[in-house]
Amino acid sequence: MASIISNQTLPACADLIDVSAFNHYITLLAAGMILILALLEKRRFHPEVCGGRPALIVPLPLLDGYDNRFSYAAAFGAVINIISTLFTKSYTTDSFNVPDPLWAAALVLQLRVLEACITCFPLFACISTRHKLAGAVLGVTYSSILLGSTSAEAVQTYCQIVQALTVIQAVSVLIYLPVVLCFLYLIFKFLHAITECIRSNTYIITEPLKRVYTHQQQYVRLVLHRDYDPSIETTTCDKLIYRSVPGFKYPVRIISVAFILLVLLYRLGLALLLVGSIITIWSEPYFVGQNFSIPYGETRFYLMTPVVFDLLAGVFYITTIVCVIVTVFYIYLFMKSYRRHLLRMFRGNKSFILDQLPKPHIMMASSMRFPGYQVAYMLWGFGLLFIALLVVGSMLTYVIYLTIINHILTAVLLWLLQTISVPAMALLLFYLQVVLAKCVLMQEKIKVTDDTPPLNVDNRRFYECFNYYALFGNLAIGIFSCFWRILQGFILGVFMVGRLDHSIYARGWEHRDKGYLSYISMLHVENAHNHPMLRVFCDLLLTALDKDGHQHTYQTPVRRNTKALRRWLVAYTLINNPELAQRRKRVLSVTNKKRRFTRIPQAELECAIDWPIDDGISSSVEFASSRRNVLLNHAASQCHSDL
């Protein structure tokens, strides 16, 4: 079949709606709803002008929002069509016959982004507004209109496809399934809000904004508990398995970004399956029954058969499924990394971030880029991973099939084994050095309870001889190690380009990674505004104020700083923290005196040069070096007298 669109007369349902024109006209309705919601609010700046109306309304709380998380995520899923068509030619100014010159492409793109923001704004504003009844009515109306247009677009796409291509029809309709489900969820939520407002006779929320949330209070209680032990992911299994952490809750920003990625990933996967089906249908007449071969001695060497086409089609579908699974797993790992890193910052552990941070205003701007960066980087990562796996998989499949059909599999395997023998010998030498270092060159443990032996050479002559031989042998190891390093860098770069929680640059160059910088900046902004200790402390201070607004002046009671009181406080501290008893001044002074007058045996002085220098015995080595000559002369005179 040379074309998917039927050449016959299209049915009436094939021309239901002009999607491009509708997306422009719906902006006028969205602007009217935004104006209505803005007139319902009163502003604080110049309230005397026009009665304090209209006011600036907030679409959704991206800084410190934890309520209605799934409603905001469903709103993003409902407008995913508008987000997807921002960078496609199906949604341009062509419907109004306005030229789109190349020099104005950037300006037109920003105008389209502004139009998309206005179109999507009412869905979010109806969820976040204080006027619940008005927001719910407007939300039901707007969601129903957009749901009708989306359903008409899906039916129109279905009718434009040839009736015989049932698989393509099904895939083209399934692409709209998440959008329809999100609209149905929003309509249900708005209808439920209308019912609750009528039942409770409450149409406006007059309560002030929340200063602290329940999960933040729970976190503070856990931290202040005596037996609190924060969860630390030490093993690989702990990093892969998801376990809920008490006192932690994902904010609106992270839930929305993850849901947008999942919906876009679903649409990308179906789109690739649709493209694969179209290519298969178009290319099938050209490859069925065709065999391409060249003369090779007395036989012919086959280059292409109908089976190769089927194998490459299977590689395409398998690559699509693998890329979708890998990207979903990356989203899961991103959620776990975000939680782990943010909890570390709550505890004051910032060792995993950049050593030198940019200026605060740069970090604030970078944190605002994070949601868009995460979606764009993940889509780029999906595309690069798909291309890399498709190319590698197609080449391997094609080569393996050629070796089998031309009966040269044995020769190819023999050549491959001979080629691998060179890096295998280098790898053997590499592990031989490890075994010799562990069994022959390393000293034994100083104490039986030590985990590892000291980093000291035991057999110096053998070490020098083997190191001389390894100087030449490691040249070959270095060649293959460098190749493996390049290969690993390519693989990790392709697989990790979509993850912003890890930088693909080397240590010291991480500040060049704008995506990673946006992630780090977002964490700092979260830590500055949503730290549970900070919010609970501020809530306690503000709660101490009078409900009428009058501030009370509290006087701290005078406490006599007596010696008995100080001793009671020290005793209470030592009872609750017994490990601090060893750090008291009197205990440390006695310990230092004992170290100072401890005599080092003669045998230890002789081998002091081989001792590992660390914090535990550095003072002993300094003492040995200062008294070495005196003690050695004394030992020599004693031996002379014995003779």
Side-chain angles (χ1 to χ4, degrees), residues 221-230:
R221 284 195 296 265
L222 291 174
V223 170
L224 297 179
H225 197 272
R226 182 175 179 180
D227 299 331
Y228 173 71
D229 185 14

Side-chain angles (χ1 to χ4, degrees), residues 393-426:
S394 301
M395 291 178 60
L396 288 178
T397 303
Y398 183 70
V399 170
I400 292 174
Y401 178 74
L402 287 185
T403 56
I404 294 175
I405 195 175
N406 292 289
H407 306 290
I408 57 174
L409 181 60
T410 305
V412 172
L413 290 178
L414 182 61
W415 173 82
L416 187 62
L417 289 175
Q418 292 176 355
T419 306
I420 294 178
S421 63
V422 179
M425 186 60 65

Side-chain angles (χ1 to χ4, degrees), residues 293-307:
S293 61
I294 59 175
Y296 182 72
E298 299 179 356
T299 60
R300 300 189 66 83
F301 190 85
Y302 290 94
L303 297 177
M304 180 66 69
T305 63
V307 180

Side-chain angles (χ1 to χ4, degrees), residues 500-563:
L500 297 187
D501 52 326
H502 294 281
S503 177
I504 61 174
Y505 292 171
R507 189 71 174 177
W509 291 85
E510 297 162 330
H511 61 282
R512 298 285 184 179
D513 192 346
K514 300 302 180 183
Y516 180 68
L517 182 61
S518 68
Y519 174 75
I520 294 299
S521 301
M522 184 268 299
L523 288 180
H524 277 273
V525 173
E526 288 279 344
N527 185 50
H529 287 269
N530 295 321
H531 197 293
M533 290 288 186
L534 174 65
R535 296 186 74 98
V536 171
F537 177 71
C538 294
D539 180 68
L540 292 175
L541 292 180
L542 295 175
T543 306
L545 300 177
D546 189 28
K547 295 182 179 180
D548 297 332
H550 301 288
Q551 297 184 6
H552 294 281
T553 303
Y554 296 96
Q555 296 182 355
T556 305
V558 179
R559 180 179 296 177
R560 296 181 179 180
N561 190 9
T562 60
K563 187 175 182 180

Side-chain angles (χ1 to χ4, degrees), residues 419-439:
T419 306
I420 294 178
S421 63
V422 179
M425 186 60 65
L427 189 65
L428 180 62
L429 179 60
F430 175 83
Y431 284 105
L432 179 62
Q433 295 178 15
V434 176
V435 174
L436 289 178
K438 181 179 180 180
C439 301

